[in-house]
Amino acid sequence: MNNKTLLNKVLVTGATGFIGSRLLERLKIIDCEVRVLSRNTLIGYDSICCDLHQDSIPKFALNSIDSIFHIAGVAHDFQNNTETELIYYKVNVEATINLAKLAIKSGVKRFIFVSSVKAGGQSDTSDCMTEINQFEPEGIYGRTKREAEIKLLALGQESNMHVVIVRPALVYGPGMKGNLKLMLLGIKKGWFPPLPETGNKRSMIHVDDLVRAILLTADYDRANGEIFIATDGTPHSSREIYNAMCNVLGKSIPKWSVPKDLFNLISLINSRIKYKLNKLLGDECYSSAKLEELGFKAQKTLKDMNETDF
C-alpha cells in the first residue's frame, strides 16, 4: 500500500477515541496533513470544535480536504428510552449524512466510514458471517449504523465521491474500553470467574490492524461502494480470550471453570442477565475474506497480545 491517495489533507472525526487516536498516529507516520473535527481542541493538530450531537458542521471544516475518516459515533446500548434513541439517530445517522453531503459539495474525494459488525445483525448459527449476510440489526446502535451505511452508499452512487464502509469486529488494544476492559480488570482483581470452554467463536481485531484496514480501503479504487468486515482472521472461544488475558497479567490459568449449566441457570433470572451471558459465551463470528482479497493480512493475533495492548 503506497497511500498515494492520502498524502494530501485528511479530516478525522472521533480523533480522541480508542480507534481515532491510533489512526492519527499512523497518519503522522505516513506524513499526512491532518485536520480533526472534535468536541474539544486537540493540541498539535488543526482542530475544529464541533459537537455532532448539538452543532452544525461548519462549511469551512472541509476546505481543501481530500479524504475523510469518519469514526465518531455513539456506541453501546446503555438503554433504549426515547431520548437515548434520538441521540443515537442524531449522531450516528444525521451527523454522518450531513458530513457526507457537505463532503460532496466540498469536492472531497474519499469518505471512509467506520461502522460496526452490529450493522449486519446477528446470525442464529455459528457460521461466520460475511458482508452478504444481512439480518435485522440488534439494538439502536446496530440499527443506526446500518441506516447510515445505506444512506452513505446511496450518496456515493449519486456522486463521484469514493465511499467505503468498514465494519470492525471486537476491537482490542491500548486504550480499549467496554466489556473486554471490564473482563481484564475483573481477572486482574480476581472476581471474574474462569469461563467454561464452550467452543464458541468470537472474532476480534487489534486496533493497529484495524487502522491498517481502514487505510487500505481508502487506497484502492475497487473498494469504492463496498462494505468490508475487519477481523484478524482467527476466531477465538471466550475461554481462549480469558486464558490470553491471564497470560498478559502474569496470572496462572485456573485448571477449573464455572460449569456452563450454572450460567444457563443464572440466565433464567431475567432477560437482561440472559442477554449479558449470551454476549459473553455466544457466537459472534465474522469473515474478513473480502478484505483479505484487497491484500489485507492481520499482523497481530490474540496469541501475540502483551501488556502494551491494554
Side-chain angles (χ1 to χ4, degrees):
M1 183 175 64
N2 56 32
N3 298 115
K4 62 181 181 301
T5 60
L6 303 176
L7 294 178
N8 296 312
K9 195 158 189 174
V10 304
L11 177 83
V12 178
T13 72
T16 60
F18 171 39
I19 299 169
S21 59
R22 300 297 280 194
L23 175 61
L24 284 190
E25 291 179 15
R26 183 59 189 169
L27 290 172
K28 185 181 293 185
I29 291 173
I30 61 178
D31 199 27
C32 287
E33 188 177 353
V34 179
R35 178 181 295 157
V36 299
L37 187 71
S38 61
R39 284 179 292 182
N40 302 301
T41 299
L42 191 58
I43 297 174
Y45 289 92
D46 174 10
S47 298
I48 294 179
C49 292
C50 178
D51 185 339
L52 295 178
H53 175 218
Q54 304 179 58
D55 305 330
S56 297
I57 301 167
K59 293 181 180 179
F60 65 86
L62 304 189
N63 287 350
S64 73
I65 294 295
D66 295 294
S67 300
I68 293 176
F69 296 95
H70 183 42
I71 304 173
V74 179
H76 306 300
D77 292 330
F78 293 114
Q79 51 185 342
N80 281 318
N81 58 44
T82 302
E83 182 180 357
T84 302
E85 291 199 8
L86 289 175
I87 294 172
Y88 274 90
Y89 190 84
K90 176 71 174 178
V91 177
N92 291 354
V93 182
E94 286 188 3
T96 298
I97 301 310
N98 289 339
L99 180 62
K101 289 180 177 178
L102 182 57
I104 292 170
K105 291 180 181 179
S106 302
V108 173
K109 299 180 181 67
R110 310 232 160 189
F111 193 105
I112 314 304
F113 177 52
V114 179
S115 182
S116 167
V117 289
K118 302 297 184 185
Q122 181 64 46
S123 171
D124 56 3
T125 73
S126 61
D127 294 336
C128 293
M129 290 178 60
T130 71
E131 295 83 357
I132 296 175
N133 303 130
Q134 293 293 339
F135 299 90
E136 181 65 27
E138 181 181 339
I140 187 64
Y141 175 63
R143 292 197 300 272
T144 52
K145 283 291 189 179
R146 182 60 183 150
E147 184 172 346
E149 288 182 357
I150 293 170
K151 292 183 176 181
L152 266 181
L153 292 173
L155 285 175
Q157 291 178 344
E158 297 166 3
S159 67
N160 293 321
M161 188 168 69
H162 173 107
V163 174
V164 179
I165 311 295
V166 178
R167 290 179 177 173
L170 187 62
V171 186
Y172 70 96
M176 70 178 186
K177 301 177 182 179
N179 292 333
L180 278 180
K181 184 67 174 182
L182 183 63
M183 181 176 178
L184 184 78
L185 291 175
I187 295 172
K188 183 177 182 179
K189 294 181 179 180
W191 58 260
F192 198 95
L195 299 176
E197 180 54 82
T198 64
N200 66 322
K201 295 186 290 187
R202 304 185 68 83
S203 295
M204 304 174 71
I205 187 168
H206 190 278
V207 64
D208 291 340
D209 280 324
L210 174 57
V211 166
R212 291 177 52 248
I214 292 169
L215 293 175
L216 179 68
T217 62
D219 206 39
Y220 277 86
D221 289 337
R222 64 190 177 104
N224 184 24
E226 299 291 341
I227 297 174
F228 294 93
I229 292 173
T231 81
D232 64 11
T234 307
H236 300 278
S237 70
S238 297
R239 176 67 192 211
E240 288 173 337
I241 297 171
Y242 176 90
N243 290 350
M245 288 186 173
C246 287
N247 287 330
V248 168
L249 295 169
K251 288 182 170 286
S252 58
I253 298 174
K255 296 181 179 179
W256 63 280
S257 64
V258 176
K260 187 174 186 298
D261 287 343
L262 180 58
F263 282 108
N264 291 337
L265 183 62
I266 294 173
S267 71
L268 298 176
I269 296 176
N270 63 47
S271 59
R272 186 62 180 171
I273 292 177
K274 182 177 181 179
Y275 173 78
K276 287 287 188 181
L277 290 177
N278 284 341
K279 295 288 290 180
L280 180 64
L281 297 175
D283 290 300
E284 288 194 11
C285 188
Y286 304 89
S287 169
S288 55
K290 183 177 177 180
L291 182 63
E292 291 166 5
E293 289 176 0
L294 288 185
F296 175 78
K297 182 175 176 58
Q299 295 180 352
K300 298 184 178 183
T301 67
L302 192 64
K303 293 180 180 179
D304 304 318
M305 198 163 53
N306 57 56
E307 64 275 5
T308 63
D309 288 318
F310 300 102

